[in-house]
Structure formats: structure tokens, C-alpha cells
Amino acid sequence: MRITLQDLLKFRTYFLFLTFLSISVTGFSQKSELSVEKIMQDPDWMGTFPSNVKWSADSESIYFDYNPEKNTEDSLYKIELSNTSKIIKVSPKEERNLIPRQGDFNKGGSKKILSKEGNLVIYDVRSGVTTELLDLSEPIYNVEFLADENKISFISNLNAFIYNLEQGSIKQLTNIQKGKAEEEKPTELSEKETWLREENLQLLEVVNRRKDEEERKEAYREAMAKKEEFRFYLEDRELSSLQVSPNAQYATFKLISRQDGEGTNVPNYVDETGYTENLSARSKVGENETKVELAVYNFQKDTVYMVETQDLPGITDLPAYIKDYPNKEWKKAEREVVPTKVYFSENGELAVVNLRSKDNKDRWIARINLENGDVTTLDRQRDEAWIAGPGIGYTFYGGEDMGWLPDNKHIYFQSEETGYSHLYLLDVTSGKKKALTQGEFEVFDPVLSNNKKDWFLTTSEVGPGERHFYKMPVMGGKMEKLTQMEGNNDVYLSPDEKHMAILYSYSNKPWELYLKKTKANGKAKQLTKGQSEIFSNYQWREPELIKFEAEDGAMVPARLYKPEPDVKNNAAVVFVHGAGYLQNAHKWWSSYFREYMFHNLLADLGYTVIDIDYRGSAGYGRDWRTGIYRHMGGKDLSDQVDGVEYLVENHEINPEKVGIYGGSYGGFITLMAMFTEPETFKAGAALRSVTDWAHYNHGYTSNILNEPSLDPIAYRRSSPIYFAEGLEGDLLIAHGMVDVNVHFQDVVRLSQRLIELGKEDWEIAIYPVEGHGFIAPSSWTDEYKRVLELFNESLLD
């Protein structure tokens, strides 16, 4: 029997939330080796799998997090190249003495400088000896070799310094201070004081002569005085990204003025204090007033000047969506720009900066005149939707793949200019641009080899469902494929570049660690084998990768889980992955591993399951990424509907027996499906769902829907709460009450809307101690028992 809100009211039960009810899983007759309780328990039942891989600085050992002892948390383990059959637990002492990943190698790779526990240290690769160079009262960070490798730049206490290795001396380069400069107040005499002074000087000649003499002395002292020390004051701004040019002539830094919008509170009803405590949470979209400025510190001139962006091409361009608001007056004005990072040439004489418009529709790469701060645009990428894609980074957070070749002439960067993110070179002297990679695939994480003659990079050239590692000449040419295993090859190159540690997985095989020499031929050697016996005994399905045609002719990729013919029940479940910009129809172990196992359970019980990389998903280029611009719940939803039509036409699915579920963005799509496509979906489970995009965060939402005050059309047609009257099928809503990402308020508002509309066939399950990603196995189990019960009762009756 299904418990509904109407049933609760009928039996005078006023407790709306069903979390605490005991619900048994009934309504199906097929058997499975799996159960919800089994697959939703603590993941350690599956085994132990390596993560957080890193190499020792001498390239002799691979370190990784591992947990064969079934402890509460993973511990650090290592495999030495001299004996790859042995996995060794790292002692606390050895772990403390490890050389951190961050830091900077010299050009020969023989020494590495870094900040360790806030002190400046140098590591000799050949001897393995670490030497402490500096221990200051303030932490040291951003440590780098300069062009003259006898000198090291570092940042401490808001300022830049140079440490001379030969002399052991320190020189402070900048004078940046918090607060504001003190204003000198001029001394003004009153009218009475002025009269008395003048009368006294006129009457008393000696006093007058002494005054004149004192004035001459003061003028001499001023002429001979040492120039007053220059200070740059931050005022009310924060200092960020201070760095020194390799020739030690300049520094650049960012100044951040924060004026965040009104924050929100998320009540925690189960706090350890016994009282309800409010958790501070983000503001809503449209309330980000952060301003970022870029400055150049010229050491020779001992001054700072700001980088001005008002002359960037297209800086006053208006967005295309304004055509939908003909009655609103739109004025061209200079848009705010956010600099992400400055990149100096190796000799320090040239610098380029990555600039993003705050509305994220433009990305400029510009050359900075280090003598005055003027900028000259080298490349502009305009996207009427929003700028993004692999290697392109984010407006406020950076993260772009960009830098210089050693010729001090070419810069490299990634761009979606062709519709896919590829690697480019640009000659800063001539402006000539060259694509190093091209085709209908994407490039990830390109890095220059130690000798600067080659690139190492990961691409999806084999197909969007695979990732492989390549080597390519620095000026472009044929890519040499260095990995061969079908699936995802996440490569960690040894510092000497002779070996690859590979985290590898396949669609039905979790991540394991492999070792291979850095060359095309040869076989990778498996180093770990972490699956538990109980996990490996089950024959996990290899989902079929398919494509079906959407209503607009696009071919949509998906994973398909098919039941055995003798248990097939002609019912289907559509799973909608979260995040929007995420890929799940691929050939590697899914980050949605619980859902993957749940889909195996559903297939055991006779369901056909389809998992679609709908419009907005990652991995398929710019047009796929931006297919949801200004209308979430548009093509991303119609792709789900078209997927159901594919199942009906090709897999004998009964169109009256289709359900849908997903979490976060997947929960949002589930709500839109249940509210606007009731003839397609009979039941849906919306987990941790966004119900009104005007209540989500700024960084994510404003890219896709602009800002609600500027583009209300986009928000109204994209938010499920405006379509709740369309609910006809059976709906389960589940949400954590301490979710600081998608707030519990979202489903509370939707619940009230459904109540006011008189809707009956819906229920809500709340989880008082859970946030956006559940932690407790009991919560996972309870939630997915409800999901399974929903489908069994709604689709199999």
C-alpha cells in the first residue's frame, strides 16, 4: 500500500515528513544477489581502492592513499619501483618527512625549493637531503626559482622577497601594508592668531630674522633629505596572487573588494548542543558584488600602477538575450572584468594576463606593458552563452591551462573556438595563432616535458567515453598514444618522466593502480587489486553505450542496463545524473557508483535502465555544454523524453511503465519531467532537488540563466515550482535538512505549493543530519528503499 499525504490526514496523522516511517520493500517477485541494504552500506564492503597518487621527488616510489586494514580513514602507502610486488604502509615519521607536491624545480631538475611547515627549504634530488634555508616569524609561500637560479622569490606577510642562495641574504622587494595612509592635516591659524603673529614679526626684528633663518634651514633639510619610502596601502581590499617576475624587475598582484550579498541560514535541528543552530550558507544568484583589480609593482620606479581594461575590444557589448525585452532600455556600458592570473615569460621581460568579463561572455588574453600597465589584446573568445570548457577555467577561480614556451615568444592556452576545447600557440610579437590539436574531441591537462620539446596531454580522441595519455611535439604534430587500456587512464608522470603511474578503471571495474614505462608499446603492470571477495563475486554489468536520435536530430549518448529476457518486466527507469556539466555515459568507473550498483539491482529485478548524457553534460564540446542556456528543463528534459521513446521503439518497454529519478540537477530534471511530461513518466524520485533557480548560487546559475533581475524569462521557464500544477504521477521528494548547497528551503516551498494546489500522490522524506551528499549508510539505505518501493508500486501494479 502506498502512503500519501491524503492518507496521513485521513488517519489524523499530522506528521508530514515520512523519514521516520518504516517502509518495507514489497511488490516485486524477482530475486537478486543484491539488495538496497547491501549496496548502500559503507563503501568499504567493496574493497579498498587507491587514490591521491603522487611520486617521490626522486621518481623511485609511488605514494597513494589506501585502506586494506579497514580503518576509519585511508592511510598513506607506497610501492617502490625496485619491488613493485610489495605494498608498504608509510610510517608517520616518513610521512612527515615527505617532500610536498608543491614547490619549484630548477631547470635541471636536480633541486626543488618549497615551503614546508611555513619555512623555506631546498631538496637535493641526487642526495635526498632536505635543508632548511629560512625560518621566519610569518609563513613563507609561493616559492619559485628566478631566471638567475641562485635567487629564490617568495611571499611572506603580504610582501615579496628574494633569497640569495650564494650569499644567504634576504631582500624585500615590495612594501605593501594593510589599511590606509595617514593624511597630513594642514595647520591653519585663526584670524586672531594670524594678526598676532604678523604684528609680532613686524615689531620685533630679531624674532623676524630668526624666523627667516629657520625657514632656510628647513628648506635645506628638505633638499638633502632621503626620499620617503614608498608604501602601497591595501585600504579595504584583500591581497591575492602576489608573484615576482623571473627577472625580479616587477611583481603583479590582485586586489579583491568583497561585498557579498545577504547570506542565508540553514537550521541544524540535530546539533550536539541540543539547540537549533544556524549554519551560515551562501547568498543567492544575483548578489555577488565582488570586485577584482590587477596591479603591477615596478621595483625600479618604486611605484604601483593599476591595469586598466576599459579599452578591451567589445567591453561594452550587450548580450544577445536583450532582444526578448524590447520594452526595457539597455545602455552600453563598460563591463566589469576579472583578471585570473598573470603569466611571465621565462626571462621575465613579457607578461600576459587572462581576463574574464564578470558576465562570463568574454575571455581576453592580453599582453601587459610592464612599464605602465596598459594592455593589448592578443585573443578574444566570445560566447553568447558562457565561457567554459576543459582547460579554460572559471571567472573568479582561474584554473586555466596557460603559459609560455621557453622561446619567450609563444604562449599556449586552450579555447573552444572550434566548438571543442583544443590547445593553441600564439606568437605574442606577430599575433599569429596556431591550433596544435584539432578534431571533434577535447584536450585535458596539457603540460610541457622537462626538456620543453614535447607536450604530455590527455584527450578523448579515441571517443568521448575514453581517456588516453599522449605525447606530442611542442610545435604540434602527430600525437603518440602512450596508454592502451580501454577506459579511463588517469596518468601521473614521474618527475624524471620515465614512468607513468596510471589510475585505471573500466565501467564495471573500480580504480586500480598500474605502472608503465613512458612509451607507446609495452603493457601496463597492475600494482593493486583491491576488490573484496563479496564484491568481485557478483557479475557487475558492463552497460552498453548507445546513441539515440533526439527530436532535433542530435545523437544523444547513454548507458543502457538490460535485464535478462526471462525476468524482463517491460518497465523502464531513467536515471538523470547531477551537476549538469558532468559525464556519466562513459567506459570508466562512475562517480555515481552507488547508483551504478542500484541499476544492476534494478536490472536483476527486470527493469531496463537508461542513463543519459543529456544536453548540458560534459565531454561533448561547446554546443552540447551550452544546449541548456536560458532554458534548463528544455533540451536536457526533451533528451530524457526521447530516450524513453527509444526504449519503447527498440526494447519493448511499455510506455505506461516508465519512471525517472536523480539527485541535485537530476532531481531538478525529475521534477520538471513529472510536472511537464506527465504522459511520459508515471513515477519520479526527486532527490536533493533545485526547485527554483532564483534561490541557487551565483557562480553556477548566472552562467546558464544570467541574473534573475536581468533575465526573468529564463528563470520562470527553468524553475519547477512554476509548473507544479502539472503533477499527475507518483512523486517522491527526498532532501537533507542541513544541505548548504541546495537548501532544504527549496523543497519546503515546493511542498507548500503542492499543498495549495491540492496535489495528492506525492510524499516527502527528510534526512535531519544529511547535507547535499549523504554520509550515513542508514540514510542512503532509507532513501533508496523508498525509491525502489516507488517504482515497484507505481510501475508494476
Side-chain angles (χ1 to χ4, degrees):
M1 181 184 73
R2 167 163 282 265
I3 300 175
T4 66
L5 182 59
Q6 187 180 40
D7 295 325
L8 292 175
L9 292 172
K10 189 180 297 181
F11 290 99
R12 298 182 181 275
T13 304
Y14 296 102
F15 189 60
L16 171 63
F17 305 121
L18 302 180
T19 300
F20 309 108
L21 296 181
S22 175
I23 298 178
S24 61
V25 179
T26 61
F28 62 93
S29 58
Q30 303 301 333
K31 299 293 183 181
S32 172
E33 298 175 37
L34 303 176
S35 66
V36 172
E37 291 86 352
K38 184 174 184 178
I39 62 180
M40 295 298 164
Q41 63 182 301
D42 192 301
D44 65 6
W45 78 275
M46 300 161 55
T48 181
F49 306 105
S51 62
N52 195 26
V53 177
K54 51 185 174 288
W55 282 88
S56 60
D58 61 5
S59 300
E60 294 298 325
S61 301
I62 306 169
Y63 291 88
F64 54 96
D65 292 339
Y66 211 48
N67 193 6
E69 299 174 343
K70 304 291 185 184
N71 294 322
T72 305
E73 296 181 352
D74 289 357
S75 299
L76 187 65
Y77 284 75
K78 70 176 180 179
I79 294 175
E80 297 173 343
L81 296 194
S82 59
N83 184 5
T84 56
S85 61
K86 188 176 182 181
I87 301 176
I88 305 168
K89 187 173 184 178
V90 176
S91 69
K93 181 180 179 180
E94 181 181 353
E95 187 170 357
R96 285 193 300 270
N97 292 328
L98 284 177
I99 302 301
R101 286 185 186 179
Q102 71 271 17
D104 189 31
F105 281 100
N106 62 358
K107 291 179 181 178
S110 61
K111 297 183 185 298
K112 184 179 184 180
I113 52 165
L114 59 140
S115 172
K116 190 173 184 181
E117 297 178 352
N119 301 327
L120 179 63
V121 301
I122 187 165
Y123 172 75
D124 187 285
V125 175
R126 295 188 182 94
S127 67
V129 174
T130 300
T131 305
E132 184 177 288
L133 301 176
L134 275 179
D135 180 2
L136 302 180
S137 59
E138 294 289 336
I140 291 170
Y141 57 97
N142 284 12
V143 180
E144 291 184 308
F145 279 107
L146 295 178
D148 176 357
E149 293 189 336
N150 287 315
K151 296 178 180 178
I152 297 167
S153 69
F154 66 89
I155 310 302
S156 183
N157 195 24
L158 301 179
N159 281 283
F161 298 81
I162 286 181
Y163 179 82
N164 190 304
L165 283 169
E166 291 182 341
Q167 301 173 2
S169 61
I170 306 174
K171 178 182 179 181
Q172 183 171 340
L173 298 175
T174 61
N175 192 359
I176 301 173
Q177 298 185 14
K178 293 181 179 179
K180 299 180 180 180
E182 293 183 6
E183 295 182 6
E184 292 186 8
K185 296 182 179 180
T187 303
E188 294 184 6
L189 300 178
S190 66
E191 185 177 350
K192 177 183 176 181
E193 291 171 332
T194 302
W195 183 85
L196 286 173
R197 184 172 182 272
E198 290 177 353
E199 282 293 301
N200 199 43
L201 291 173
Q202 289 176 9
L203 290 171
L204 303 174
E205 182 179 351
V206 173
V207 173
N208 198 8
R209 285 201 307 270
R210 288 177 178 175
K211 169 185 171 291
D212 291 341
E213 184 178 351
E214 184 61 34
E215 287 178 349
R216 287 194 297 272
K217 289 180 180 179
E218 179 64 25
Y220 176 78
R221 285 195 295 269
E222 289 181 0
M224 299 301 293
K226 190 176 180 180
K227 182 182 177 182
E228 185 177 351
E229 186 180 43
F230 172 75
R231 295 180 178 88
F232 181 84
Y233 289 91
L234 297 177
E235 299 180 349
D236 297 325
R237 300 165 297 188
E238 298 175 17
L239 178 73
S240 174
S241 306
L242 175 60
Q243 60 179 339
V244 177
S245 64
N247 60 4
Q249 298 298 308
Y250 310 95
T252 58
F253 57 94
K254 293 193 291 189
L255 298 165
I256 302 176
S257 304
R258 299 191 187 277
Q259 188 179 346
D260 293 332
E262 183 179 354
T264 52
N265 290 320
V266 174
N268 179 7
Y269 292 100
V270 196
D271 187 75
E272 62 181 17
T273 63
Y275 292 89
T276 299
E277 298 287 338
N278 282 329
L279 305 176
S280 297
R282 55 166 174 79
S283 56
K284 299 180 188 291
V285 60
E287 297 184 358
N288 185 339
E289 299 299 326
T290 301
K291 181 180 179 181
V292 185
E293 302 168 274
L294 180 63
V296 177
Y297 204 126
N298 187 314
F299 301 145
Q300 289 184 336
K301 295 181 179 179
D302 197 23
T303 190
V304 170
Y305 27 80
M306 308 306 296
V307 173
E308 302 294 340
T309 59
Q310 69 271 13
D311 295 326
L312 290 172
I315 191 64
T316 62
D317 285 0
L318 292 169
Y321 70 80
I322 66 172
K323 68 180 186 301
D324 288 345
Y325 301 94
N327 297 323
K328 182 175 180 178
E329 184 180 358
W330 298 85
K331 293 183 179 179
K332 284 195 170 187
E334 181 185 341
R335 287 176 289 157
E336 284 192 58
V337 169
V338 178
T340 60
K341 186 178 179 181
V342 172
Y343 299 85
F344 287 103
S345 59
E346 288 194 5
N347 60 15
E349 297 176 3
L350 301 174
V352 296
V353 61
N354 188 61
L355 302 165
R356 305 284 287 259
S357 61
K358 198 172 178 182
D359 65 7
N360 210 10
K361 298 192 185 300
D362 275 286
R363 189 276 302 270
W364 298 270
I365 296 173
R367 179 174 170 178
I368 304 174
N369 184 331
L370 294 170
E371 290 300 313
N372 56 24
D374 289 347
V375 295
T376 303
T377 299
L378 300 172
D379 184 78
R380 178 191 179 193
Q381 183 183 337
R382 170 78 175 180
D383 197 317
E384 282 296 340
W386 73 97
I387 299 287
I392 296 173
Y394 303 91
T395 300
F396 283 99
Y397 310 111
E400 66 275 358
D401 291 319
M402 191 171 170
W404 286 83
L405 296 190
D407 63 4
N408 298 300
K409 179 180 178 182
H410 290 91
I411 60 169
Y412 64 87
F413 60 93
Q414 285 187 244
S415 172
E416 280 189 323
E417 179 179 318
T418 64
Y420 292 84
S421 183
H422 282 290
L423 181 61
Y424 290 81
L425 289 183
L426 190 148
D427 186 326
V428 298
T429 58
S430 68
K432 185 178 179 181
K433 184 167 60 175
K434 175 184 179 182
L436 298 185
T437 59
Q438 52 191 327
E440 294 186 359
F441 63 90
E442 295 182 316
V443 170
F444 308 89
D445 306 318
V447 293
L448 284 167
S449 61
N450 291 338
N451 62 14
K452 311 298 183 183
K453 294 181 179 180
D454 297 286
W455 293 100
F456 291 106
L457 65 162
T458 298
T459 86
S460 58
E461 184 181 29
V462 170
E466 293 194 51
R467 296 289 184 272
H468 287 279
F469 195 63
Y470 295 82
K471 186 177 183 180
M472 178 180 70
V474 69
M475 299 307 290
K478 183 179 180 181
M479 294 194 301
E480 181 183 20
K481 188 162 166 277
L482 301 178
T483 54
Q484 310 301 331
M485 295 180 289
E486 183 181 10
N488 191 332
N489 297 264
D490 188 7
V491 172
Y492 299 82
L493 201 60
S494 62
D496 63 9
E497 299 178 350
K498 294 179 180 179
H499 291 89
M500 301 181 293
I502 307 171
L503 264 185
Y504 167 77
S505 74
Y506 193 63
S507 55
N508 61 351
K509 297 175 184 177
W511 299 94
E512 299 287 5
L513 185 61
Y514 288 72
L515 178 67
K516 186 178 185 294
K517 290 185 177 179
T518 310
K519 56 184 181 179
N521 57 0
K523 185 178 180 180
K525 178 181 179 181
Q526 186 170 351
L527 302 181
T528 63
K529 193 173 183 181
Q531 292 186 31
S532 66
E533 183 178 358
I534 188 172
F535 181 82
S536 60
N537 282 343
Y538 179 81
Q539 297 299 308
W540 298 103
R541 286 170 175 79
E542 178 186 335
E544 182 183 351
L545 291 185
I546 64 163
K547 286 188 177 181
F548 60 85
E549 187 173 358
E551 62 182 3
D552 61 356
M555 298 305 295
V556 183
R559 273 184 167 190
L560 185 64
Y561 300 77
K562 294 188 292 187
E564 295 298 324
D566 59 332
V567 300
K568 185 173 182 178
N569 57 24
N570 300 109
V573 171
V574 178
F575 170 66
V576 189
H577 68 68
Y581 191 64
L582 179 145
Q583 186 178 4
N584 210 42
H586 50 58
K587 293 183 180 180
W588 62 87
W589 187 248
S590 175
S591 57
Y592 286 93
F593 64 91
R594 291 183 179 88
E595 289 79 357
Y596 166 79
M597 294 188 289
F598 184 60
H599 299 160
N600 275 266
L601 170 60
L602 289 174
D604 284 350
L605 300 176
Y607 290 94
T608 300
V609 182
I610 191 169
D611 172 1
I612 301 169
D613 272 348
Y614 49 87
R615 243 64 70 92
S617 297
Y620 307 97
R622 182 264 172 197
D623 290 350
W624 206 262
R625 174 179 66 79
T626 62
I628 58 174
Y629 178 59
R630 297 190 68 222
H631 192 185
M632 292 192 275
K635 289 183 178 180
D636 45 0
L637 175 56
S638 65
D639 285 344
Q640 317 297 330
V641 175
D642 294 335
V644 173
E645 291 181 3
Y646 163 81
L647 294 180
V648 171
E649 293 173 3
N650 297 276
H651 294 277
E652 300 177 336
I653 295 302
N654 184 338
E656 300 298 320
K657 298 170 67 173
V658 179
I660 185 171
Y661 89 102
S664 194
Y665 197 97
F668 149 71
I669 287 292
T670 297
L671 291 175
M672 290 295 275
M674 295 300 294
F675 294 166
T676 67
E677 296 287 346
E679 67 283 356
T680 303
F681 301 100
K682 188 176 181 181
L687 320 177
R688 51 193 181 277
S689 315
V690 175
T691 68
D692 187 343
W693 287 107
H695 290 258
Y696 196 51
N697 69 33
H698 184 86
Y700 180 92
T701 319
S702 63
N703 279 343
I704 305 171
L705 300 179
N706 304 306
E707 293 189 20
S709 61
L710 300 176
D711 196 1
I713 292 173
Y715 282 81
R716 285 186 174 271
R717 67 186 176 198
S718 298
S719 298
I721 199 167
Y722 292 104
F723 302 96
E725 68 276 4
L727 177 63
E728 295 180 12
D730 299 327
L731 174 63
L732 167 66
I733 300 170
H735 212 104
M737 292 184 71
V738 288
D739 190 338
V740 294
N741 181 13
V742 180
H743 298 166
F744 183 63
Q745 179 193 31
D746 265 50
V747 295
V748 173
R749 294 177 69 240
L750 178 61
S751 297
Q752 181 60 29
R753 177 72 178 143
L754 292 171
I755 291 169
E756 293 176 3
L757 290 169
K759 297 297 179 179
E760 298 180 354
D761 294 323
W762 65 281
E763 59 190 37
I764 183 168
I766 66 167
Y767 298 87
V769 300
E770 297 294 356
H772 198 62
F774 285 10
I775 296 175
S778 58
S779 299
W780 281 106
T781 300
D782 182 89
E783 182 178 52
Y784 273 79
K785 276 174 131 180
R786 296 175 188 276
V787 174
L788 182 56
E789 184 198 25
L790 171 72
F791 293 145
N792 287 333
E793 293 193 353
S794 298
L795 306 183
L796 301 185
D797 286 348

